Amino acid sequence: MAGRERREYSRTLPIRIQRELDQKEGALVEQSVNLSGISVIITEVYQPDDILAVALHLPDDSLFTAFVEVLRVDPLPYPGGTHRLHARFVRMPAADREVLIRHIMRFQRHHLQDHYSS
């Protein structure tokens, strides 16, 4: 992106994504999640403006839940039938935002320590 630095905070976490009004809780699935917004590979197709419920099992053993708004869904060439979901957090209380920020900062700190201690 010209004129702006784009940061990505991607790590492998157990995650569950489902429609906001879906009462049946699916299983958490371990996968790479970008937390600068939400960017994750999915098999179900959602539409822009859909509101989804997201649950993340954070490394401190807490279950973080939030709502996201779908921005776009891009088809991926491999594996077939997969898409990259791009979404943004919505309706997030300040306390939950702080939890997420602390997690991202902790991840960045560990990533930098690993990078510069080699």
Side-chain angles (χ1 to χ4, degrees):
M1 296 187 140
R4 265 188 344 169
E5 179 181 340
R6 180 168 173 97
R7 295 188 179 132
E8 294 189 4
Y9 308 108
S10 192
R11 75 173 301 162
T12 301
L13 294 171
I15 185 172
R16 176 178 55 235
I17 299 173
Q18 58 194 60
R19 296 187 187 281
E20 176 182 24
L21 300 177
D22 190 350
Q23 298 298 315
K24 183 180 159 192
E25 286 189 2
L28 292 165
V29 177
E30 187 98 9
Q31 65 175 297
S32 180
V33 179
N34 182 333
L35 291 175
S36 57
I38 283 282
S39 178
V40 66
I41 295 175
I42 58 171
T43 55
E44 185 171 343
V45 179
Y46 301 104
Q47 299 302 313
D49 301 323
D50 282 351
I51 301 295
L52 308 176
V54 173
L56 293 163
H57 189 173
L58 298 177
D60 65 1
D61 277 337
S62 66
L63 187 64
F64 179 82
T65 58
F67 293 106
V68 298
E69 176 185 15
V70 176
L71 300 173
R72 71 180 194 277
V73 177
D74 300 328
L76 296 174
Y78 181 81
T82 60
H83 309 314
R84 177 156 302 276
L85 169 74
H86 301 274
R88 68 181 182 100
F89 291 102
V90 294
R91 298 185 274 177
M92 185 180 293
D96 288 350
R97 189 170 31 256
E98 291 300 317
V99 167
L100 190 59
I101 290 169
R102 275 196 308 275
H103 170 74
I104 291 170
M105 304 236 350
R106 194 174 313 128
F107 169 72
Q108 286 180 307
R109 185 171 45 250
H110 289 290
H111 179 73
L112 288 172
Q113 285 173 344
D114 290 346
H115 180 75
Y116 289 111
S117 64
S118 303

